[in-house]
Amino acid sequence: MFILVSCWQHTKVKDSVTDRMATTYSEAAVSVTITTMTDVLAFYIGIATSFPSIRSFCIYTGTAFIFCYIYNLTFLGAVLALNGRREKSNRHWLTFMKVFSEPQDSRGRMYNRCCTGGLYDETTGTEIEHPMNSFFRKYYGPFLMQSWTKVFVVVLYVTYLATSLLGCFALQEGIDLRNVATDDSYIIPYYNLEDQYLSTYGPRVMVIVTESTEYWNESVRTDLDNCMNVFENSHYVEKNFSESWLRIYENVAKNMSLDLNDHDVFITNLPALFRVDPNSQWNINISAKEIVASRFFIQTINVKNSLSEKNLLKQLRHFAKDCKISLMVYHPAFIHFDQYLVINQNTIQNVLIAAGAMLIISLLLIPSPVCSLWVTFTIGSVIVGVSGYMAFWHVNLDSISMINLVICIGFSVDYSAHISYAYVSNSKISAHEKAIDALFHLGYPVVQASASTLVGISVLSMAATYVFRTCFKIMFLVITFGTLHGLMFIPGKKQKLKFPPCQEDQIAHDVLMNCTLIRRNGQLKAVL
């Protein structure tokens, strides 16, 4: 939206509305299309994730971006056209009444300020230059092109990258269940007390025999006992607190002199087990004189953080898979542990696929391969920065932050893509002039877009829920780093690159460089 409005303001006010609209769309449509395609693609790539909640989020958000794009190119364009007709007839922006172009001395200051207008820059034929545009053209652009400024930018970027990489190595995985609730929920003090007094022991895990098994077969019982021994010998299991109805039953059978190798004896004497250990009846599922399924329990220990939770889950599942009997390990907390196994893989996968896809889009729509590479590089740079500073801001890598990182993939490229396209598509000759002109045309819209987004998400910083605060933190980092790349890092680097000018500009450049201007009959003529 800001790009379209900015391009409209740079059109000649005396041109017809049709010509002004054509000029606006010729300058803005490609840039807007690039960023929209990259945003939509980033979200649709997120559909490939293993998390259903993230898939749903990506589907709806990506589709919303498509409708926003259509809205900007149709409805907003129609509003610009109507506004052009209003400007052409010099009507007031609010009342639509015709106003004077020049201040009226007979009227008061307030009248002249509110009810006169229509002035424009007669030199360029465009609207009077906005102070922010003047700032980027006269001050910021030339300042950024200074040699010592570029050295400072390089040092700043190296510092940014180094601290980001340091943070990436310190980034923690996993979601703290306290963060799922609101700040005033009783769950938070409950988990605090649990960590303080009951953190020695971890979850009590079920070891489930998932198929009908011949427990009366001695070799089967031996295999089951061997599997339990493997579990109990783990660093994460306290063997003295294991619970096995089969071991208890074997002791009962020994005291009663029962032959458990006989099917009928095994089944008919189970009530004796239940009298000795009433809880065992809840661990055995009997149907038609067959044990359809059963379960044992193991007590975990040394589960202190997300890394130990991930290792515990991987180890127990590995033991269950290697057992000769069909086993499954389960605890309700495993739904949270499971994300540790795929969160890194999914995040890296989404970033790499998105970066590759955006490189292809950039190569197709930006008329410079080198510039396309810089845009793709920006994605990786911003992602590294956001991931690193997440650790400094106490945000873990979990399903919540992953949703925001998917957003980050799309937003990270927006500002740099706009500046890059403006850089390679303008008619200036030198790289120095190209960089300043790109900042002049799109510096202010980029500031408007980033500032409006930051203001919009600032209310989330005061939310009483971790989910919303995490969204604010990551979006704040994305917008801040994306703006820095678009307005500082990328222009400073592009100034050193040489892009081939378009044919008309090359002809003009060759004429200026290889001809002599002489005056004949009052007119300047070029002599090669």
Side-chain angles (χ1 to χ4, degrees):
M1 179 178 70
F2 294 115
I3 303 296
L4 284 169
V5 173
S6 176
C7 290
W8 171 268
Q9 291 173 340
H10 286 92
T11 59
K12 297 184 182 299
V13 296
K14 291 299 183 180
D15 288 349
S16 66
V17 174
T18 303
D19 291 339
R20 295 184 71 183
M21 289 295 296
T23 303
T24 298
Y25 274 78
S26 66
E27 294 180 358
V30 175
S31 179
V32 172
T33 300
I34 292 172
T35 54
T36 301
M37 289 181 66
T38 54
D39 289 341
V40 172
L41 192 62
F43 285 112
Y44 282 167
I45 287 173
I47 298 174
T49 185
S50 303
F51 298 95
S53 58
I54 297 179
R55 284 201 299 269
S56 299
F57 172 81
C58 290
I59 291 172
Y60 285 106
T61 309
T63 305
F65 267 80
I66 294 176
F67 281 100
C68 286
Y69 174 71
I70 296 173
Y71 163 82
N72 276 296
L73 293 188
T74 54
F75 181 77
L76 181 60
V79 172
L80 283 177
L82 291 174
N83 183 66
R85 295 178 63 180
R86 179 195 64 80
E87 291 179 359
K88 193 173 186 64
S89 58
N90 205 38
R91 294 180 179 274
H92 195 271
W93 66 272
L94 180 61
T95 64
F96 300 104
M97 302 293 292
K98 285 194 173 185
V99 296
F100 295 102
S101 299
E102 301 289 342
Q104 303 297 303
D105 295 335
S106 59
R107 304 281 189 168
R109 180 186 302 176
M110 187 60 65
Y111 176 87
N112 287 324
R113 176 171 296 181
C114 299
C115 299
T116 61
L119 296 178
Y120 64 95
D121 189 337
E122 296 183 0
T123 304
T124 61
T126 62
E127 294 184 16
I128 296 176
E129 192 173 280
H130 192 279
M132 282 297 294
N133 289 331
S134 299
F135 167 76
F136 279 101
R137 180 174 62 85
K138 295 179 180 179
Y139 304 105
Y140 182 75
F143 170 78
L144 193 61
M145 297 301 107
Q146 297 293 327
S147 298
W148 68 270
T149 306
K150 286 183 282 187
V151 172
F152 170 76
V153 170
V154 170
V155 172
L156 180 63
Y157 180 76
V158 171
T159 304
Y160 155 81
L161 194 60
T163 53
S164 299
L165 291 173
L166 182 64
C168 287
F169 287 109
L171 185 62
Q172 298 292 321
E173 297 178 47
I175 185 170
D176 190 332
L177 294 180
R178 282 167 284 212
N179 293 331
V180 179
T182 58
D183 293 344
D184 57 353
S185 172
Y186 69 90
I187 292 178
I188 294 177
Y190 167 80
Y191 279 115
N192 289 337
L193 293 172
E194 184 182 52
D195 287 346
Q196 184 176 357
Y197 299 109
L198 302 173
S199 60
T200 303
Y201 298 99
R204 190 163 179 79
V205 178
M206 288 183 282
V207 181
I208 305 168
V209 182
T210 59
E211 297 178 352
S212 179
T213 304
E214 297 179 351
Y215 296 93
W216 47 89
N217 188 321
E218 186 174 1
S219 63
V220 171
R221 295 199 302 273
T222 302
D223 290 338
L224 272 173
D225 194 60
N226 290 336
C227 292
M228 287 296 293
N229 287 331
V230 171
F231 283 112
E232 291 166 344
N233 290 330
S234 169
H235 168 71
Y236 294 108
V237 176
E238 173 54 68
K239 65 183 303 180
N240 295 323
F241 292 153
S242 297
E243 181 181 336
S244 170
W245 66 267
L246 189 56
R247 289 174 179 172
I248 298 174
Y249 195 23
E250 287 178 332
N251 291 331
V252 171
K254 184 177 181 180
N255 294 332
M256 297 176 61
S257 300
L258 299 175
D259 182 12
L260 293 184
N261 295 324
D262 183 271
H263 171 269
D264 292 334
V265 172
F266 192 100
I267 296 298
T268 56
N269 285 281
L270 281 173
L273 166 66
F274 301 152
R275 286 193 297 271
V276 175
D277 181 27
N279 290 330
S280 293
Q281 61 184 318
W282 310 117
N283 298 330
I284 304 173
N285 185 4
I286 303 176
S287 177
K289 294 187 177 182
E290 295 290 337
I291 299 179
V292 179
S294 70
R295 65 181 179 180
F296 311 95
F297 287 91
I298 54 176
Q299 179 60 55
T300 60
I301 56 174
N302 302 319
V303 185
K304 302 294 185 181
N305 49 45
S306 60
L307 180 61
S308 59
E309 290 171 346
K310 179 173 70 173
N311 292 336
L312 166 68
L313 183 60
K314 291 173 64 177
Q315 190 179 88
L316 295 184
R317 286 180 174 173
H318 174 71
F319 291 159
K321 183 179 179 181
D322 288 346
C323 185
K324 294 181 180 180
I325 309 298
S326 179
L327 298 180
M328 180 180 71
V329 290
Y330 177 76
H331 186 275
F334 283 2
I335 191 173
H336 305 292
F337 297 179
D338 261 324
Q339 65 178 284
Y340 307 149
L341 302 179
V342 296
I343 192 75
N344 274 334
Q345 174 187 346
N346 275 249
T347 303
I348 295 173
Q349 168 188 297
N350 289 341
V351 171
L352 292 179
I353 295 176
M358 291 178 187
L359 174 60
I360 295 174
I361 292 175
S362 300
L363 288 171
L364 292 175
L365 298 179
I366 297 179
S368 169
V370 178
C371 185
S372 300
L373 291 174
W374 278 116
V375 171
T376 307
F377 163 79
T378 301
I379 299 173
S381 180
V382 173
I383 291 291
V384 169
V386 172
S387 301
Y389 280 82
M390 278 170 54
F392 299 138
W393 216 342
H394 307 293
V395 177
N396 290 354
L397 182 60
D398 51 39
S399 57
I400 296 172
S401 58
M402 186 179 175
I403 290 177
N404 293 282
L405 283 175
V406 172
I407 302 175
C408 175
I409 296 172
F411 278 90
S412 62
V413 73
D414 282 2
Y415 306 137
S416 297
H418 287 310
I419 295 294
S420 298
Y421 182 77
Y423 181 92
V424 299
S425 62
N426 68 51
S427 59
K428 302 298 182 182
I429 300 299
S430 69
H432 182 98
E433 293 174 335
K434 278 179 171 289
I436 294 177
D437 191 70
L439 290 170
F440 165 63
H441 281 91
L442 292 182
Y444 183 39
V446 166
V447 171
Q448 286 179 306
S450 59
S452 61
T453 305
L454 290 176
V455 170
I457 65 172
S458 61
V459 294
L460 298 179
S461 65
M462 298 176 285
T465 307
Y466 168 84
V467 175
F468 295 124
R469 289 198 301 270
T470 298
C471 179
F472 163 76
K473 291 177 180 180
I474 296 181
M475 288 300 297
F476 178 86
L477 293 174
V478 172
I479 300 302
T480 302
F481 294 154
T483 304
L484 279 176
H485 280 74
L487 297 183
M488 183 179 293
F489 298 149
I490 294 299
K493 294 172 183 176
K494 278 188 170 59
Q495 197 272 336
K496 300 178 182 179
L497 303 177
K498 302 295 183 182
F499 294 95
C502 63
Q503 184 177 2
E504 292 81 359
D505 294 334
Q506 186 64 57
I507 294 173
H509 180 265
D510 291 342
V511 169
L512 290 175
M513 294 297 102
N514 299 288
C515 73
T516 303
L517 294 177
I518 62 174
R519 183 175 296 276
R520 288 182 181 174
N521 300 325
Q523 295 181 344
L524 285 175
K525 294 188 177 181
V527 179
L528 297 177

